[in-house]
């Protein structure tokens, strides 16, 4: 096995045993990038020089025996995370040249844990999309089939992990933006409980839905990453002060006797047959572990996408108002007066999907419509959360498909916004209710595209969620294939 | 036709916290442009607000001082609009769940006290500052002020005249300064006012079409602008014309209000709950704690000064106009128990000396103990009133207690009867003509003899004693 | 509710976006599809349901009133497209 295809824990074991160095790992990753990146386009910006310099320092630490949880590990960052010194573009012309004067809290935490930053990964513009096609830098391609999308908006991060262009990656998830691309790229994607990971330095899409999480090659790596990412931050008022356990300690523990709910609404018509088959097999693997299966109902499921289609753009329309071409960002050259500075800069700076969402967001908050749209959606959001509260009174875990279909073709849905939004139909509920969720590979289609299964747990139950996912991973023993790029 | 004036005021007061409402930048005034900014108040991508606890407590103080009901559930909301002084493209303010509602203050008008309702008090953040450069057709943006905590105090349309509006405004100002939550500096913009003005035929209950006045930077501007606007509206209505609902700017130089039309777009602020902040829940215990911390308010204190100290209302008004001055006065009274005399000294020499130096009562070099001691020394006849005036100057300059100054300067009054008798005898002997005239019935010459005695003793003779002894001496032979 | 090209124009105006007539039509059509879908929410009786602005029930998160170091003026202005001295610069407002 080449170094770039290994997991965090495998590489850390090697480092501890003196079997490799941070520099060798980093070089291997960049070699792999050199080979596949032209076809995948997972990155907006590579940080080779900085990474090799970091690796050299890490090797000094290793020599001194100072090995931190991510020492020597090449991590890719979604380009929605602020990084000091290198541009943070959000996949937008608006911020093409923007350099943040500060690091996001998670970037600080990863650096403190020894991570080596490989680069900034591609994303739908301001995370608005499910295919990574709306990036102003062009689409990322799915390593399993480069004619297909990798999912989104953390498509760059998912593709980078799948194609071994990094060891692990960080993404953000507003309606499924970690789990959906993870599922379509055959990797693990983890969305924590809202408030577990600081959002400070994550460029906001929809503030009440956004969470940062890891994309990894296996569950153990997800636990290792969560150990680093989770925890209170006084700079984020929505970040909860709670004790963070060592998530890794829960892996390998028994899940027999756990009750797993299968919400019937997630298995209604419209989901691809091959996806359903793979998920059915996943249910069997869960049973093999001794967990019990029960059908449950989440009655407001069919309203999730509609609620999301109001709340996310409403918040986004406000969050993106700061992009005005005054303090930073694109300023239209031809703007002659202040009114034009606003309209021309924003019109040139944003792509079509972002404009679409800003407009619908502004509309749904505007005078006369606010109560009917934003107000109503916020109420239904309460009902959706209550569904989960009910369900978790009974079950330990809820199991659903992650996506209704495998990866679709580039260009297939980009002109059909509603179809695009519906590709997140199974993932959105976790954001609306704030609960943790993980997508984990559970099989392949006949064409060889990966399929993911989603597990959900109650708020702040990440330890149990990871414990369950690890048990499933072991029991299912899904064939480990590598995309041939 | 007889019209009634209806005025409502919206006051923005900057809170005296050390840091901004949502970030740790200093609120200091007058620093170089854009030197007190950070990712949060510059609205850089990814930055998040975190609420300053002290800003909430300061706002609560004002709510309690004006008799408002504090809402248990407090929610911040985004008020969305574009302007270069508003970096986020929205102001974090409060909408449907403000801090407090339904208060009032009493103001004095010609025919007694009137209750002016307070609709609501809410918390929000200040905007930055724009400097317009007409010559270069450009504006410059300084964001040092962006994010300074504000409270907005919205009155009910209860004010019936420009004078009443100014009265109300002065009362609010006095309370804010008394609470020490706002420095009240109108020039620097820490206390600002917008006014809504309309007229209606007397007896009509619905409100007339109103205009909103801005740029009212002093009490004087408020008064003049309101008077101008009331007259302008009355003339329109008398001609049968309509008042246009609009925002008007007060132009102090020209002495008139002028229409400030913003192009086309109506205000559509698209308020929604601020998702980056969590609700503030203010329970009764917290309210009680803040209430316990409230100082006595100026109006109550004024009334107490009159009733407890028996001083005239005028004196009470002067002494309570400044919280620290009132504290000073009360300290003096507590030590000497001579309320009226103390009031005279504080309002007289002490205030004069402080004003000359533009100093506040809290750092008055004449300690309350010293002033109290001096008042007692006067009463005991140790020093005369005239000497006291000199002593207080010395106390102010040196910070020393009166006894020390008296001793050093040998300023003790002559109360020795023997010494004074001898002086009187000498005066009578030296003025035989006047003595004869006095004894012949010219009573007015008594003052002349007193003057002579004082002259010989260098003003140190105890005047009362001189009086007594002189009378005895004159009627003796 | 159906969204007209005028509604699109109004909302775009609120958001300071300029859209061409062609975009207006396309956006109106696409957004109407979404709004039609959103219309399903009206099936639900939500009377008395407390709206959720947040997941989770955090309240009373504060910072203390302690001064933190600010950026220096240079750092504050470094990403700005137009500055003059220590200020951000914008063209004059024209009504
Ligand atoms: Mg206001
Ligand atoms: Zn700041």
């Amino acid at each position: 096995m080449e170094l770039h295809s290994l997991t965090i824990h495998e590489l850390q074991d090697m480092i501890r045993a003196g079997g490799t160095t941070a520099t060798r790992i980093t070089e291997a990753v960049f070699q792999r990038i050199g080979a596949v990146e032209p076809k995948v386009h997972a990155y907006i910006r590579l940080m080779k020089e900085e990474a090799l310099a970091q690796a050299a320092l890490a090797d000094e630490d290793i020599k001194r025996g100072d090995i931190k949880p991510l020492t020597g590990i090449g991590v890719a960052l979604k380009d929605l995370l602020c990084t000091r010194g290198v541009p943070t573009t959000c996949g937008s012309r608006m911020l093409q040249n923007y350099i943040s004067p500060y690091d996001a809290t998670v970037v600080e935490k990863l650096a403190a844990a020894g991570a080596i930053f490989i680069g900034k990964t591609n994303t739908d513009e301001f995370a608005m999309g499910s295919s990574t096609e709306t990036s102003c830098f062009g689409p990322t391609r799915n390593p399993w089939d480069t004619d297909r999308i990798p999912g989104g908006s953390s498509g760059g991060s998912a593709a980078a992990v799948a194609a071994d262009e990094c060891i692990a990656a960080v993404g953000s998830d507003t309606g499924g933006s970690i789990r959906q691309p993870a599922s379509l790229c055959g990797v693990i994607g983890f969305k924590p409980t809202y408030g577990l990971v600081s959002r400070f330095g994550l460029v906001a899409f929809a503030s009440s839905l956004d969470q940062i999480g890891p994309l990894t090659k296996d569950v153990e790596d997800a636990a290792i990453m969560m150990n680093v990412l989770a925890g209170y931050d006084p700079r984020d008022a929505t970040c909860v002060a709670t004790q963070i356990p060592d998530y890794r300690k829960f892996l390998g523990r028994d899940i027999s006797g756990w009750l797993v709910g299968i919400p019937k609404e997630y298995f209604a018509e419209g989901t691809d047959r091959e996806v359903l088959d793979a998920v059915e097999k996943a249910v069997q693997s869960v049973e093999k572990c001794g967990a019990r299966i029960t059908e449950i109902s989440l009655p407001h499921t069919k309203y999730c996408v509609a609620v999301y289609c109001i709340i996310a753009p409403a918040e986004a329309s406000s969050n993106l108002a700061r992009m005005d071409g005054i303090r930073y960002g694109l300023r239209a050259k031809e703007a002659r007066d202040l009114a034009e500075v606003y309209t021309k800069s924003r019109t040139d700076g944003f792509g079509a999907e972002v404009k679409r969402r800003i407009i619908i967001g502004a509309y749904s908050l505007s005078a006369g419509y606010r109560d009917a749209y934003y107000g109503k959606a916020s109420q239904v959001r309460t009902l959706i959360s209550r569904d989960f509260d009910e369900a978790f009174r009974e079950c330990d875990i809820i199991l659903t498909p992650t996506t209704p279909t495998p990866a679709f073709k580039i260009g297939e849905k980009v002109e059909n916004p509603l179809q695009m939004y519906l590709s997140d139909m199974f993932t959105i509920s976790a954001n609306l209710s704030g609960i943790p969720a993980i997508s984990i590979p559970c099989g392949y289609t006949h064409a060889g595209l990966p399929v993911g299964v989603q597990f959900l747990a109650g708020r702040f139950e990440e330890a149990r969620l990871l414990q369950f996912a690890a048990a499933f991973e072991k029991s299912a023993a899904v064939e480990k294939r590598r995309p041939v790029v | 036709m007889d019209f009634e004036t209806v005025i409502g005021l919206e006051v923005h007061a900057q809170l005296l916290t050390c840091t901004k409402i949502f970030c740790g930048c200093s609120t200091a005034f007058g620093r170089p442009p854009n030197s007190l900014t950070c990712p949060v108040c510059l609205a850089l991508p990814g930055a998040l607000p975190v609420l300053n606890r002290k800003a909430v407590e300061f706002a609560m103080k004002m709510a309690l001082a004006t008799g408002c009901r504090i809402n248990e559930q407090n929610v911040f909301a985004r008020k969305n609009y574009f302007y270069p002084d508003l970096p986020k493209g929205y102001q974090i303010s409060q909408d449907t769940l403000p801090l407090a509602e339904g208060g009032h203050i009493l103001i004095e008008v010609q025919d007694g006290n009137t209750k002016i309702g307070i609709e609501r008090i809410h918390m929000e953040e200040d905007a930055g500052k724009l400097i317009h450069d007409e010559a270069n057709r450009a504006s410059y943006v300084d964001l040092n002020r962006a994010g300074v905590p504000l409270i907005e105090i919205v009155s009910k349309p209860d004010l019936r005249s420009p004078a009443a509006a100014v009265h109300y405004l002065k009362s609010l100002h006095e309370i804010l300064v008394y609470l020490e939550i706002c420095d009240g500096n109108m020039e620097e913009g820490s206390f600002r006012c917008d006014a809504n003005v309309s007229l209606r035929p007397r007896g009509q209950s619905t409100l007339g079409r109103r205009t909103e006045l801005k740029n009212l930077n002093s009490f004087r501007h408020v008064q003049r602008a309101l008077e101008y606007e009331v007259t302008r509206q009355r003339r329109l209505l008398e001609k049968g014309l309509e008042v246009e609902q609009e925002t008007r700017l007060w132009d102090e130089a020209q002495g008139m209000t002028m229409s400030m039309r913003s192009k086309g777009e109506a205000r559509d602020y698209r308020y929604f709950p601020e998702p980056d902040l969590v609700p503030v829940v203010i329970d009764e215990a917290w309210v009680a704690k803040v209430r316990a911390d409230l100082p006595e308010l100026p109006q109550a204190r004024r009334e107490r000064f009159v009733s407890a100290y028996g001083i005239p209302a005028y004196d009470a008004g002067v002494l309570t106009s400044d919280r620290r001055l009132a504290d000073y006065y009360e300290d003096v009274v507590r030590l000497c128990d001579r309320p009226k005399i103390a009031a005279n000294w504080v309002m007289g020499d002490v205030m004069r000396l402080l004003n000359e130096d533009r100093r506040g009562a809290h750092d008055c070099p004449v300690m309350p103990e010293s002033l109290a001691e001096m008042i007692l020394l006067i009463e005991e006849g140790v020093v005369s009133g005239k000497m006291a005036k000199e002593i207080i100057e010395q106390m102010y300059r040196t910070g020393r207690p009166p006894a020390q100054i008296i001793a050093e300067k040998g300023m003790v009054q002559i109360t020795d009867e023997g010494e004074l008798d001898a002086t009187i005898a000498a005066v009578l002997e030296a003025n035989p003509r006047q003595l004869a005239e006095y004894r012949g019935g010219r009573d007015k010459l008594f003052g002349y003899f007193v003057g002579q005695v004082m002259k010989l003793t260098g003003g140190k003779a105890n005047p009362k004693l001189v009086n007594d002894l002189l009378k005895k001496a004159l009627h003796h032979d | 509710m159906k969204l007209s090209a005028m509604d699109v124009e109004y909302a775009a105006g609120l958001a300071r976006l300029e859209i061409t007539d062609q975009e207006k039509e396309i956006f109106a059509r696409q957004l109407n599809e979404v709004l039609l879908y959103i219309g399903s929410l009206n099936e639900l009786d939500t009377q008395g349901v407390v709206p959720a602005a947040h997941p989770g029930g955090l309240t009373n998160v504060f910072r203390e009133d302690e001064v933190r170091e600010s950026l220096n003026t240079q750092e504050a202005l470094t990403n700005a497209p137009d500055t003059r001295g220590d200020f951000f610069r914008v063209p004059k407002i024209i009504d």
Side-chain angles (χ1 to χ4, degrees):
Chain A
M1 270 282 189
E2 285 147 308
L3 291 172
H4 55 74
S5 63
L6 299 180
T7 62
I8 300 174
H9 55 93
E10 286 165 344
L11 289 167
Q12 281 254 319
D13 288 347
M14 284 176 74
I15 289 171
R16 275 169 214 285
T20 192
T21 65
T23 303
R24 263 187 272 158
I25 298 168
T26 307
E27 278 170 349
V29 168
F30 277 100
Q31 215 165 8
R32 173 70 176 172
I33 288 171
V36 303
E37 176 63 4
K39 287 176 220 157
V40 178
H41 188 226
Y43 286 95
I44 287 173
R45 182 188 188 87
L46 290 164
M47 296 162 64
K48 189 171 182 181
E49 246 173 68
E50 298 93 325
L52 288 170
Q54 268 183 303
L57 290 173
D59 282 329
E60 311 239 323
D61 289 345
I62 292 167
K63 264 184 225 146
R64 284 199 314 270
D66 174 15
I67 302 174
K68 294 183 272 292
L70 295 176
T71 293
I73 303 301
V75 173
L77 300 169
K78 186 179 187 176
D79 205 16
L80 213 62
L81 289 164
C82 289
T83 46
R84 211 179 169 133
V86 282
T88 299
T89 71
C90 303
S92 180
R93 261 170 64 76
M94 179 61 87
L95 294 183
Q96 213 161 1
N97 301 310
Y98 175 70
I99 297 185
S100 171
Y102 74 97
D103 277 330
T105 297
V106 295
V107 172
E108 280 179 357
K109 285 188 171 197
L110 288 163
I116 289 166
F117 299 129
I118 302 300
K120 307 287 296 277
T121 57
N122 204 6
T123 165
D124 280 295
E125 185 178 4
F126 290 108
M128 294 181 185
S130 306
S131 64
T132 318
E133 289 169 287
T134 69
S135 165
C136 79
F137 300 99
T140 294
R141 290 163 186 276
N142 192 315
W144 297 88
D145 177 350
T146 51
D147 288 337
R148 291 177 187 271
I149 57 97
S153 61
S154 308
S157 288
V161 175
D164 295 322
E165 293 187 73
C166 63
I167 309 304
V170 179
S172 66
D173 190 314
T174 306
S177 284
I178 289 174
R179 291 159 289 157
Q180 184 256 18
S183 172
L184 302 188
C185 289
V187 301
I188 309 280
F190 193 92
K191 184 206 89 79
T193 303
Y194 186 82
L196 186 71
V197 177
S198 167
R199 294 185 293 115
F200 190 82
L202 171 70
V203 181
F205 164 12
S207 315
S208 77
L209 302 164
D210 297 341
Q211 264 299 284
I212 294 167
L215 295 102
T216 59
K217 295 174 187 177
D218 68 10
V219 174
E220 185 166 356
D221 278 8
I224 292 169
M225 289 289 281
M226 281 309 297
N227 277 345
V228 174
L229 297 174
Y232 175 66
D233 178 10
R235 290 175 292 186
D236 175 0
T238 63
C239 192
V240 178
T242 178
Q243 273 294 316
I244 308 299
D246 178 358
Y247 295 119
R248 228 171 151 179
K249 283 199 177 133
F250 291 80
L251 310 182
R253 290 189 192 170
D254 190 25
I255 59 160
S256 64
W258 287 29
L259 192 61
V260 178
I262 311 284
K264 58 177 190 230
E265 293 83 1
Y266 284 69
F267 293 84
E269 83 275 25
T271 299
D272 185 276
R273 192 64 250 164
E274 288 191 283
V275 169
L276 287 175
D277 289 347
V279 172
E280 184 47 46
K281 274 201 209 106
V283 173
Q284 288 162 18
S285 304
V286 167
E287 282 182 303
K288 254 194 331 200
C289 300
R292 290 177 297 127
I293 305 295
T294 183
E295 189 185 273
I296 60 163
S297 173
L298 297 166
H300 296 95
T301 299
K302 70 165 177 168
Y303 304 109
C304 287
V305 177
V307 169
Y308 178 84
C309 281
I310 296 169
I311 304 228
E315 292 184 11
S317 70
S318 177
N319 283 331
L320 293 185
R322 65 185 62 192
M323 310 287 163
D324 58 10
I326 295 176
R327 283 146 292 115
Y328 48 84
L330 183 135
R331 158 96 57 111
K333 292 239 166 16
E334 69 275 19
R336 287 159 305 164
D337 58 41
L338 181 65
E340 288 190 355
V341 165
Y342 284 123
T343 50
K344 293 203 186 299
S345 304
R346 290 169 59 80
T347 301
D348 291 357
F350 294 138
E353 180 60 20
V354 171
K355 285 180 195 162
R356 212 160 17 232
R357 297 209 197 186
I358 290 177
I359 289 170
I360 200 161
Y363 177 73
S364 69
L365 286 171
S366 66
Y369 298 103
R370 183 178 65 164
D371 294 345
Y373 289 118
Y374 180 83
K376 182 83 178 181
S378 302
Q379 288 180 306
V380 180
R381 187 174 182 180
T382 299
L383 300 177
I384 291 164
S385 293
R386 281 190 202 157
D387 282 358
F388 282 104
D389 293 345
E390 274 304 296
F392 286 120
R393 229 165 269 152
E394 208 186 325
C395 341
D396 299 285
I397 295 290
I398 291 171
L399 183 156
T400 78
T402 308
T403 59
T405 66
F408 44 90
K409 287 264 171 64
I410 288 175
E412 195 179 320
K413 295 184 181 175
V414 78
E415 289 304 322
N416 191 334
L418 184 59
Q419 282 311 305
M420 187 70 90
Y421 304 159
L422 284 170
S423 68
D424 287 334
M425 61 195 288
F426 299 145
T427 45
I428 281 170
S429 58
N431 301 85
L432 292 175
S433 55
I435 60 175
I438 188 169
S439 177
I440 174 165
C442 67
Y444 302 90
T445 65
H446 291 299
L449 294 172
V451 177
V453 62
Q454 176 177 236
F455 304 140
L456 306 125
R459 292 172 54 73
F460 297 105
E461 295 282 5
E462 358 283 301
R464 287 167 67 80
L465 183 56
L466 288 162
Q467 178 183 343
F468 183 84
F472 163 80
E473 184 182 50
K474 193 170 166 212
S475 149
V478 175
E479 182 195 349
K480 284 246 184 273
R481 295 188 201 169
R482 288 281 158 199
V484 183
V485 184
Chain B
M1 198 190 243
D2 188 17
F3 289 104
E4 182 178 45
T5 303
V6 178
I7 299 170
L9 297 184
E10 286 171 23
V11 168
H12 285 89
Q14 280 184 354
L15 299 178
L16 270 177
T17 52
C18 300
T19 65
K20 296 186 180 181
I21 184 166
F22 299 123
C23 65
C25 290
S26 160
T27 54
F29 184 80
R31 294 295 168 83
N34 295 303
S35 63
L36 300 178
T37 64
C38 72
V40 177
C41 56
L42 285 170
L44 297 189
L48 297 170
V50 183
L51 180 60
N52 183 337
R53 183 199 305 269
K54 191 165 251 172
V56 178
E57 293 191 338
F58 279 6
M60 284 167 74
K61 283 190 179 185
M62 189 57 181
L64 291 174
T66 52
C68 287
R69 177 175 78 250
I70 292 186
N71 285 321
E72 191 181 357
Q73 281 282 327
N74 252 266
V75 172
F76 283 93
R78 291 187 184 178
K79 180 180 182 179
N80 294 284
Y81 65 95
F82 287 90
Y83 212 66
D85 61 7
L86 188 72
K88 291 189 291 294
Y90 55 85
Q91 180 192 35
I92 302 180
S93 180
Q94 296 191 287
D95 179 32
T96 50
L97 288 170
L99 174 79
E101 294 170 274
H104 69 270
I105 59 172
L106 290 175
I107 61 163
E108 283 166 40
V109 285
Q110 290 119 325
D111 38 357
N113 281 354
T114 311
K115 214 173 183 180
I116 305 301
I118 289 175
E119 181 82 37
R120 58 186 271 151
I121 297 179
H122 69 248
M123 299 175 272
E124 60 186 26
E125 58 182 332
D126 209 344
K129 223 175 227 167
L130 291 178
I131 296 165
H132 302 292
D133 176 355
E134 297 293 333
N136 293 303
R137 308 196 57 71
S139 296
Y140 305 117
V141 188
D142 171 11
L143 296 175
N144 284 352
R145 200 181 68 179
V148 168
L150 292 178
I151 46 174
E152 181 174 329
I153 306 159
V154 183
S155 84
K156 291 218 163 77
D158 286 350
L159 297 156
R160 292 289 170 269
S161 70
V166 171
H167 242 93
Y168 163 82
L169 206 57
K170 282 186 172 163
S171 295
L172 279 191
H173 185 271
E174 185 182 52
I175 296 170
L176 285 162
V177 172
Y178 230 74
L179 293 171
E180 297 179 333
I181 60 172
C182 175
D183 67 18
N185 191 326
M186 286 180 94
E187 260 164 56
E188 289 174 6
S190 22
F191 182 86
R192 312 196 285 269
C193 166
D194 299 335
N196 290 309
V197 191
S198 64
L199 263 54
R200 64 182 169 196
R202 201 169 291 281
Q204 181 184 302
S205 59
T206 52
L207 292 173
R209 194 86 68 75
R210 70 187 161 103
T211 58
E212 189 184 350
L213 303 188
K214 288 188 181 289
N215 200 30
L216 312 173
N217 299 331
S218 71
F219 294 119
R220 201 178 104 88
H221 292 191
V222 174
Q223 174 106 27
R224 292 191 64 203
L226 286 172
E227 277 166 359
Y228 176 89
E229 186 60 17
V230 167
T231 308
R232 189 187 72 87
Q233 290 191 15
R234 188 186 306 115
R235 284 194 185 139
L236 282 174
L237 295 171
E238 278 167 356
K239 277 188 223 156
L241 298 169
E242 289 208 330
V243 172
E244 206 173 328
Q245 179 148 352
E246 61 182 352
T247 300
R248 298 179 69 86
L249 277 187
W250 170 245
D251 185 327
E252 175 67 17
Q254 298 196 55
M256 59 194 291
T257 64
M258 292 198 292
S259 176
M260 179 188 103
R261 257 182 225 104
S262 60
K263 195 174 72 181
E265 184 192 323
R267 290 178 199 170
D268 190 344
Y269 291 130
R270 289 158 287 141
Y271 279 102
F272 72 102
E274 164 58 281
D276 288 329
L277 293 168
V278 300
V280 178
V281 175
I282 301 175
D283 60 12
E284 275 174 38
W286 194 5
V287 173
K289 210 176 132 230
V290 172
R291 196 190 296 278
D293 250 17
L294 283 186
E296 188 181 18
L297 293 174
Q299 205 155 7
R301 204 167 195 186
R302 247 185 321 268
E303 282 160 20
R304 181 170 60 82
F305 275 22
V306 172
S307 62
Y309 299 139
I311 58 174
Y314 173 80
D315 292 14
V318 173
L319 291 168
T320 55
S321 64
D322 173 345
R323 178 172 160 191
R324 296 295 154 189
L325 185 70
D327 290 346
Y328 181 88
Y329 168 72
E330 289 210 274
D331 284 343
V332 175
V333 173
R334 204 170 301 122
L335 293 160
C336 71
D337 198 24
R338 299 292 180 275
K340 178 57 190 158
I341 298 169
N344 292 345
W345 280 105
V346 171
M347 289 163 62
D349 294 67
V350 172
M351 271 179 78
R352 176 181 54 80
L353 289 163
L354 288 172
N355 287 342
E356 278 168 13
D357 283 355
R358 304 179 125 260
R359 245 168 146 155
H362 56 281
D363 64 358
C364 180
V366 181
M367 302 308 277
E369 294 78 4
S370 301
L371 183 58
E373 189 185 333
M374 200 190 72
I375 288 170
L376 292 173
L377 287 172
I378 297 166
E379 196 173 271
E380 287 160 16
V382 178
V383 296
S384 68
K386 191 170 165 234
M387 285 158 71
K389 284 201 172 284
E390 216 183 306
I391 292 166
I392 204 165
E393 292 262 1
Q394 291 297 321
M395 291 199 292
Y396 186 84
R397 235 163 281 143
T398 63
R400 296 198 183 145
Q404 213 174 343
I405 291 166
I406 290 163
E408 269 169 27
K409 306 244 161 187
M411 289 172 91
V412 180
Q413 241 180 158
I414 301 166
T415 49
D416 183 296
E417 293 194 16
E419 191 183 340
L420 285 179
D421 273 336
T423 310
I424 288 167
V427 166
L428 297 185
E429 206 180 300
N431 297 284
R433 189 169 55 85
Q434 284 85 348
L435 181 62
E437 282 177 25
Y438 179 83
R439 288 195 170 142
R442 265 191 82 184
D443 291 349
K444 278 182 183 162
L445 280 169
F446 188 78
Y448 171 78
F449 296 119
V450 172
Q452 293 300 306
V453 174
M454 295 311 271
K455 198 173 164 187
L456 269 180
T457 57
K460 287 183 191 172
N462 180 318
K464 192 170 176 304
L465 206 53
V466 171
N467 257 298
D468 294 350
L469 295 176
L470 191 60
K471 261 182 205 151
K472 252 188 242 164
L474 288 169
H475 297 276
H476 183 248
D477 307 304
Chain C
M1 267 177 271
K2 201 161 154 56
L3 183 106
S4 66
M6 268 212 355
D7 292 328
V8 172
E9 195 177 345
Y10 174 73
L14 284 177
R16 298 294 185 274
L17 293 171
E18 233 167 39
I19 45 175
T20 63
D21 287 345
Q22 197 195 350
E23 280 175 318
K24 236 174 272 175
E25 295 300 321
I26 298 171
F27 282 5
R29 181 170 47 73
Q30 290 171 333
L31 297 180
N32 269 316
E33 248 177 79
V34 176
L35 286 180
L36 194 69
Y37 181 77
I38 287 169
S40 68
L41 294 181
N42 293 323
E43 304 162 12
L44 282 173
D45 180 7
T46 51
Q47 213 173 3
V49 177
V50 179
H54 276 105
L58 270 189
T59 57
N60 291 10
V61 176
F62 301 109
R63 34 172 285 276
E64 298 310 319
D65 187 28
E66 286 155 13
V67 176
R68 290 295 190 104
E69 206 184 327
S70 295
L71 295 173
N72 64 47
T73 306
Q74 198 44 47
E75 290 170 310
L77 297 179
T78 180
N79 277 291
D82 188 14
T83 59
R84 167 97 187 253
D86 289 344
F87 294 96
F88 299 100
R89 179 162 62 181
V90 293
K92 208 189 157 296
I93 304 152
I94 297 174
D95 287 325

